[in-house]
Amino acid sequence: MKFFLDTANIDEIRQGVEMGMVDGITTNPSLVAKEGREFRAILEDICELVDGPVSAEVVSTQFSGMIQEAHSLAEIHENIVVKIPMIFEGLKAIHQLSKEGIKVNVTLIFSASQALMAAKAGATYVSPFVGRLDDVSHPGMDVIQQIVTIFDNYDFNTQVLVASIRHPLHVVEAAMMGADVGTMPFKVLEQLIKHPLTDVGLARFLKDWEKLAV
Ligand code: E4P
């Protein structure tokens, strides 16, 4: 399973890369706005640090605007994946961009039917938002299981990119279901490393070692 970091923060990305845990990056307009820097400059910095796909989202909601933005974003670096929202105009744009060989990550997916349509349109990734589904009392991971099954049934090449991950169990369950990618905030990456028994065990080993040194 590939790990993507869901952030536009360069310090977090650098730390993740140093851990060897970052296979790619996803950004969205909200994450970029938090950084208070120019979008293209952020993307250039990320592409310099990360050897993997970097998702950058369009903000137009019309076909022509999406295509224009997608072309401009794709020019920044070969690793840029254009994020397109799952709306009617978006589907047309996914179809067009995939014919042109531009990689697309279809965002704001909340159902298996949306994922199926995005895959049929030629998406490279679909991004179902598990955390936001959980927030409205719909089990997000159930949708992941449905999408994985459907893509397996028909041998779609589209990758399931589990998004809106809120905690380590989302990652573990996604891995058990065979999802291709999980994109997570830096905090979740840190949480995945930790176990209280590891800390207690290490403290005990070091204390015992001190006795030997005396
Ligand atoms: C990633 O592509 C999504 O934009 C992101 O995972 C959304 O996460 P959130 O629901 O925590 O904002």
Side-chain angles (χ1 to χ4, degrees):
M1 183 188 188
K2 282 171 268 184
F3 280 9
F4 288 3
L5 271 185
D6 194 26
T7 182
N9 183 278
I10 298 298
D11 286 341
E12 290 181 347
I13 293 170
R14 188 172 288 117
Q15 287 183 67
V17 168
E18 281 168 4
M19 275 184 229
M21 283 296 133
V22 178
D23 300 305
I25 300 292
T26 51
T27 66
N28 63 38
S30 309
L31 293 170
V32 171
K34 272 207 288 193
E35 298 306 308
R37 294 173 57 212
E38 206 261 318
F39 189 26
R40 288 182 87 85
I42 291 176
L43 290 174
E44 281 163 7
D45 288 352
I46 296 175
C47 288
E48 216 168 277
L49 272 175
V50 177
D51 185 17
V54 175
S55 286
E57 190 160 341
V58 300
V59 287
S60 173
T61 53
Q62 296 303 314
F63 172 78
S64 58
M66 286 182 189
I67 297 293
Q68 212 176 352
E69 279 185 65
H71 287 161
S72 162
L73 289 169
E75 267 174 19
I76 296 173
H77 195 278
E78 61 186 3
N79 285 342
I80 292 285
V81 176
V82 179
K83 242 173 148 181
I84 303 277
M86 181 60 205
I87 54 177
F88 183 85
E89 291 287 302
L91 261 186
K92 291 197 289 180
I94 298 156
H95 181 58
Q96 172 64 30
L97 293 169
S98 62
K99 278 197 293 185
E100 293 175 24
I102 292 177
K103 289 188 175 148
V104 176
N105 173 0
V106 185
T107 190
L108 291 168
I109 289 206
F110 293 94
S111 71
S113 60
Q114 290 179 317
L116 175 58
M117 292 187 84
K120 283 174 69 66
T124 306
Y125 300 96
V126 290
S127 286
F129 280 30
V130 292
R132 293 193 197 185
L133 279 166
D134 289 353
D135 289 344
V136 295
S137 304
H138 185 104
M141 295 314 299
D142 287 0
V143 175
I144 302 302
Q145 185 64 75
Q146 289 174 337
I147 298 170
V148 168
T149 303
I150 291 167
F151 286 9
D152 282 352
N153 284 349
Y154 295 99
D155 282 335
F156 280 116
N157 289 325
T158 306
Q159 295 185 46
V160 181
L161 195 169
V162 181
S164 188
I165 281 177
R166 300 275 165 80
H167 50 71
L169 269 183
H170 277 150
V171 180
V172 173
E173 286 174 26
M176 286 173 67
M177 288 172 186
D180 303 280
V181 190
T183 189
M184 63 202 82
F186 185 72
K187 180 176 156 258
V188 174
L189 189 68
E190 287 182 308
Q191 287 174 314
L192 281 169
I193 304 166
K194 290 182 186 161
H195 196 291
L197 289 179
T198 305
D199 297 339
V200 169
L202 181 61
R204 192 178 299 159
F205 283 155
L206 295 179
K207 205 166 167 225
D208 288 345
W209 191 252
E210 270 173 30
K211 288 179 205 158
L212 176 70
V214 168

